[in-house]
Amino acid sequence: MEIITVANNKGGVGKTMQAYQLACHLANKGSRVLVIDLDSQANMSSTLGVQIQRTLIPEWLIGDVALEDVVVPAEGVHECIKNISLIPASRQLANLAKLFILSEGEIRKEAGRKERLLRKRLEEAKDMFDYVVMDTPPMLGDELIMALVASDRVLIPTQAQDYSIDGLEELMDTFEIIKETENPGLEFTIIPSMVNNRRKIERQRLEELKMSFNCAPPIGNRVQMQESISLSKPMFKMPLKSKGRQEYDALWEFLNI
Ligand SMILES: Nc1ncnc2c1ncn2[C@@H]1O[C@H](COP(=O)(O)OP(=O)(O)OP(=O)(O)O)[C@@H](O)[C@H]1O
Ligand SMILES: [Mg+2]
């Protein structure tokens, strides 16, 4: 089972988009995919056709609720969806911090540190899925740190138009600390996202990005992509000649998945 997290503490950079396309791509190839929505905005859950009143993610993490009780099938018209299971989010994810404080003693006994809880829960599920894809919120909180501790790779969508290499370097420093202390196998890839190639400044920044980081082929800013999310129609369902589909095919090839 390979665990992949999509993360960036900056909002609106295309995290949910990449996580959705990745999950659908893997499911379309026949893999059993578990998607975990760790963002209380629950955008990934609604794109996968699921809206719930109250998420049980906090209770699952501390071991009060079993995996079967938090996982639901994804909903949608496309064939690939049947291979996707989802742990949906809701606003109650905000209770996570509170529950962690209340359960501090048990967490210490079970996992040593709260950051390791998700890794522990996923170890228990390792024979049930081929891939886990996690969407994370736009902040460096418990959800994101737990996801990074549990993951094999992290994909970092980054906008070329207004990213600052300084900001990204700061984020990468945090990721490096996690790699050094908790998860030596963690691999990072930057995915330039919503790139407008007609703008010179964006092309220049892309080049700078490529020089500083392990950088995947870019995903352009395309109306078609917005429609993909709003209509829950994965990019591989778009015509072969469509630019967006070609960009995603190039991305999967680069990532070797
Ligand atoms: N390549 C793209 N081309 C055009 N629009 C895009 C592209 N990728 C994402 N979008 C649109 O940009 C908006 C933000 O994307 P998305 O929700 O994936 O970002 P996010 O990083 O998950 O945001 P948040 O931090 O709020 O969770 C959405 O409306 C989405 O449809
Ligand atoms: Mg999102």
Side-chain angles (χ1 to χ4, degrees):
M1 185 172 84
E2 182 169 4
I3 305 174
I4 305 172
T5 287
V6 184
N8 191 329
N9 58 345
K10 204 162 177 305
V13 293
K15 293 181 289 296
T16 303
M17 174 69 84
Q18 315 306 345
Y20 173 69
Q21 302 299 348
L22 175 62
C24 292
H25 164 74
L26 295 169
N28 187 47
K29 291 206 314 182
S31 297
R32 298 163 302 169
V33 182
L34 173 65
V35 171
I36 308 182
D37 189 351
L38 288 173
D39 183 1
S40 63
Q41 299 178 96
N43 294 337
M44 186 71 182
S45 307
S46 41
T47 305
L48 290 174
V50 177
Q51 267 162 321
I52 54 164
Q53 288 295 319
R54 187 180 187 290
T55 182
L56 290 173
I57 291 177
E59 288 78 3
W60 171 59
L61 286 171
I62 63 162
D64 276 359
V65 161
L67 181 69
E68 307 86 87
D69 298 323
V70 278
V71 174
V72 297
E75 304 269 345
V77 294
H78 301 291
E79 183 70 11
C80 69
I81 295 293
K82 72 172 190 330
N83 289 338
I84 303 181
S85 303
L86 170 70
I87 300 186
S90 76
R91 292 269 155 219
Q92 276 78 18
L93 251 186
N95 289 341
L96 190 63
K98 198 169 72 187
L99 200 64
F100 277 173
I101 293 170
L102 289 173
S103 318
E104 211 185 319
E106 294 105 88
I107 293 172
R108 203 173 313 124
K109 243 186 276 156
E110 203 203 343
R113 316 171 59 150
K114 64 181 181 193
E115 291 81 5
R116 297 177 187 151
L117 278 176
L118 180 59
R119 176 165 67 195
K120 222 168 165 354
R121 294 284 95 87
L122 289 179
E123 274 163 13
E124 295 159 6
K126 70 177 187 304
D127 298 325
M128 297 168 66
F129 302 99
D130 302 306
Y131 287 94
V132 177
V133 174
M134 297 198 268
D135 189 22
T136 56
M139 56 187 167
L140 251 173
D142 287 336
E143 295 90 341
L144 178 49
I145 308 265
M146 271 189 313
L148 295 172
V149 170
S151 294
D152 299 298
R153 341 184 183 190
V154 51
L155 308 181
I156 309 162
T158 303
Q159 270 181 290
Q161 69 187 54
D162 56 2
Y163 88 96
S164 85
I165 284 198
D166 285 352
L168 194 60
E169 274 173 355
E170 224 171 276
L171 181 71
M172 296 297 276
D173 281 350
T174 311
F175 289 7
E176 282 292 345
I177 292 171
I178 293 168
K179 186 176 161 95
E180 279 162 26
T181 55
E182 292 286 334
N183 188 0
L186 186 62
E187 286 175 29
F188 320 110
T189 309
I190 304 277
I191 303 179
S193 111
M194 291 186 239
V195 175
N196 182 348
N197 250 326
R198 279 189 291 253
R199 294 185 64 209
K200 190 169 169 222
I201 181 83
E202 292 204 23
R203 290 199 304 273
Q204 277 172 351
R205 287 187 168 164
L206 252 174
E207 286 309 311
E208 288 167 34
L209 261 183
K210 279 190 211 155
M211 282 191 289
S212 311
F213 302 102
N214 175 26
C215 212
I219 301 292
N221 190 339
R222 304 187 189 285
V223 177
Q224 198 188 28
M225 306 250 184
Q226 276 167 16
E227 288 169 0
S228 169
I229 282 266
S230 58
L231 304 173
S232 297
K233 180 176 176 181
M235 283 312 290
F236 69 78
K237 284 277 169 194
M238 305 287 178
L240 262 174
K241 64 176 189 332
S242 97
K243 277 266 180 331
R245 174 163 174 187
Q246 290 169 5
E247 285 169 348
Y248 270 104
D249 286 344
L251 176 61
W252 308 140
E253 198 179 314
F254 177 87
L255 296 172
N256 203 11
I257 39 184

